[in-house]
Amino acid sequence: MGPVRRAVEELTSAQAKAELAMLAREIAAADLAYHQADAPVMPDADYDTLKRRNAAIEARFPELKRPDSPSDRVGAAPSEAFAKIRHSVPMLSLANGFEDADITDFAERIRRFLNLAADAPLAFTAEPKIDGLSLSIRYENGEMVQAATRGDGETGENVTANARTIADIPHRLEGAPEVLEVRGEVYMSHADFAALNERQEAAGGKTFANPRNAAAGSLRQLDAAITAARPLRFFAYAWAEISEPLADTQSGAIARLAALGFSTNPLMIRCEGIADLLAHYRAIEARRATLGYDIDGVVYKVDRLDLQARLGFRSATPRWAIAHKFSAERATTLLEAIEIQVGRTGALSPVARLTPVTVGGVVVSNATLHNADYIAGRDSRGNPIREGRDIRVGDWVTVYRAGDVIPKIEDVDLTRRPAESQPYSFPETCPVCGSDAIREPGEAVHRCTGNLICPAQAVEKLKHFVSRDAFDIEGIGAKQVEAFFQEGWIREPADIFTLEVRHGESLRKREGWGEKSAANLFRGISERRSIPLNRLIFGLGIRHVGETAARLIARSYGSWARFQMAMEAAREHEGEDWETLNNIDGIGPVMAASLVDFFHDPANRAAIERLVAELSIEDVEAPSTEGSAIAGKTVVFTGTLEKMTRAEAKARAEALGAKVAGSVSARTDYVVAGPGAGSKEKKARELGLTLLSEDEWLDLIG
Ligand code: IVH
């Protein structure tokens, strides 16, 4: 603990004042570490001593009590701190493009989807992609009523009190639609970021790695007074739920938001064609260094909102927008070592340990080396990359970093290679459990064959299980998983839920823990006994099944019982249930096989059974398709459609809650047949299904 403290009765007023300032800082720092980082910085008893000391000094010198006094701060538990808010419209991300050709493709895809001729007009907006964090602000009758972070895109955190402290965000709007949800980016300017870090450093507080982290850390504060003291800004660039349209075009809507009092980016323009977009991209890139805030690309959006509506969304990104990213930043450094990490699916990933170097403002000391071929200078087909130059320990290498992705090694400088260096030889066994590491034909990665006996795989699976997009268990992060695994307390997900019964006592006595932190941990765990189906599916850590796929699957089956039964029924990779799984848009045959095989494995099944016994699994409803005549129906399109492209018809049907299948079966509800329909129409007649013309279909869906 800190210095020996004088008895309160002996303090002079000046000493009391100084100590209150110090206590406020120490307690705030402890709160922060406790609520937001993975581990508390001090034992509970010490924390309580600080709080008591603070209260005692305040009792003797009431006039010295600080506006940010720790006694006024409720030590809210993290899980209650930011209540969860379900977004009325999901907060999606943007597809990325890097080369000019990606942008040309983007525009061509749109023309194809809408069946627009190459010379038909198609305007876009182009604006900087702000490197901050997105925020959704809800206004009702002109009053700001709520603000939420993106979270996992479906559910965010309630940060209303904090958002109210941002000067760019109006509290009241004149003449706005009755309901208006404005979305945009919270960010910090370079100047404010530098000044904040200076202040933090002087106060012995935490400094931030970059303006985006600083903005995120400042917005996600339990104490809005801290947010208020941090200079955050906001650009509005989109909207969600709205009771009446803002305009007919993206550019018009943004102008309207500006007129309502929002700050909008001055570099947004409207462009008639790709050439203009690319020219604006270069113009913005040229000004990047002098803007005074971080941007990481340029966003293009289809200007006409009716076209945006027709284009709609892929699973996680709109078809009508793309982010044209700036190319990555680079630096040269020494490759000190190559280490192998074993992931949750057993993949052996080579990691470069580097002499730390700054790349685009961030210190980089690790970078990915992908796989054995990449190190050897070949691609997965055996063709040379880097003109065949291999990468060796002791080499000077170029590191690059694009956005927040893991830094990569791009190339190696052969002129500086030490004479005695040797080619890297990739391990043939798992460095953790010693099992053979094999490379399946057609695969780029070596995989440990140890499965459940490999501690590295088990630990990584557990880390994945507790992670944010999976079970999101408050109080357990990577560090705790490692420690509890080491103790032998948890070996598989089900063990987390029996931890309190088995080892509660030992945990309360464990160094760095105590009654309070243990109680918080167990509360965090028990809050997750009830879990939405999609999080459970993602949490299982099945190879190829990402968060988006898990959500698609959950929506498609609705309940755990239906899902599990279907996976078992599909175990031979054939039959109706196998077809249904493969027909889910966004689920390919590789993922389908991985899922089904996972559920077929007896060890997995036993572990799942133990886990499920601890849980109450929440059904997942398909997105609201109220008033839709085709919600839950299965539709097959065949022949030529004349009013819209096949892609648009499929997207529209899905948006209205229907499933679009590729083949006709007894489970098909509607077959929409255009001119030239062949065998599918015939089969539909044989099965006595409802056949619709394109016009009848359009009538049906309104
Ligand atoms: S439009 C439907 N415009 O980038 C998506 N996003 O990678 C609407 N972002 O989550 C987003 N600047 O946080 C849009 N001018 C801009 C943006 C922008 C930054 C962020 C946003 C989004 C992420 C997507």
Side-chain angles (χ1 to χ4, degrees), residues 447-501:
R447 241 171 247 284
C448 161
T449 51
N451 276 325
L452 295 173
I453 69 139
C454 178
Q457 287 190 48
V459 168
E460 293 308 314
K461 283 195 172 84
L462 285 162
K463 284 186 195 165
H464 170 82
F465 182 84
V466 302
S467 67
R468 192 169 142 149
D469 290 338
F471 272 61
D472 191 21
I473 299 183
E474 204 81 62
I476 305 196
K479 257 185 277 170
Q480 288 75 12
V481 165
E482 270 165 20
F484 297 166
F485 187 88
Q486 196 99 52
E487 290 288 347
W489 290 356
I490 57 172
R491 292 279 171 206
E492 60 172 46
D495 297 341
I496 295 174
F497 295 95
T498 56
L499 182 66
E500 180 166 17
V501 187

Side-chain angles (χ1 to χ4, degrees), residues 90-96 127-135 150 183-185 237-238 250 265 296 299 301 313 316-318 320-321 323 325:
M91 290 182 84
L92 302 175
S93 48
L94 293 167
N96 289 328
E127 71 202 66
K129 182 169 190 301
I130 316 299
D131 197 6
L133 67 152
S134 45
L135 185 73
R150 177 173 188 275
R183 290 184 174 171
E185 203 84 351
Y237 54 60
Q250 176 76 29
N265 194 285
D296 57 353
V299 181
K301 300 172 185 170
F313 299 86
T317 56
W320 43 265
K325 299 301 256 324

Side-chain angles (χ1 to χ4, degrees), residues 567-568 570-573 593-605 608:
M567 292 305 101
E568 277 170 24
R571 66 178 171 274
E572 304 295 346
H573 293 201
S594 172
L595 267 160
V596 168
D597 296 348
F598 183 89
F599 278 88
H600 194 39
D601 179 287
N604 288 341
R605 275 160 63 153
I608 290 174

Side-chain angles (χ1 to χ4, degrees), residues 149-164:
T149 60
R150 177 173 188 275
D152 64 5
E154 303 236 321
T155 322
E157 288 172 325
N158 186 341
V159 290
T160 312
N162 300 358
R164 280 190 209 281

Side-chain angles (χ1 to χ4, degrees), residues 512-539:
W513 291 79
E515 286 295 335
K516 184 173 155 207
S517 42
N520 283 341
L521 171 73
F522 295 131
R523 196 185 48 227
I525 293 174
S526 103
E527 274 172 2
R528 291 296 183 268
R529 282 185 187 273
S530 176
I531 194 82
L533 178 59
N534 55 314
R535 285 183 176 264
L536 170 60
I537 296 174
F538 179 61

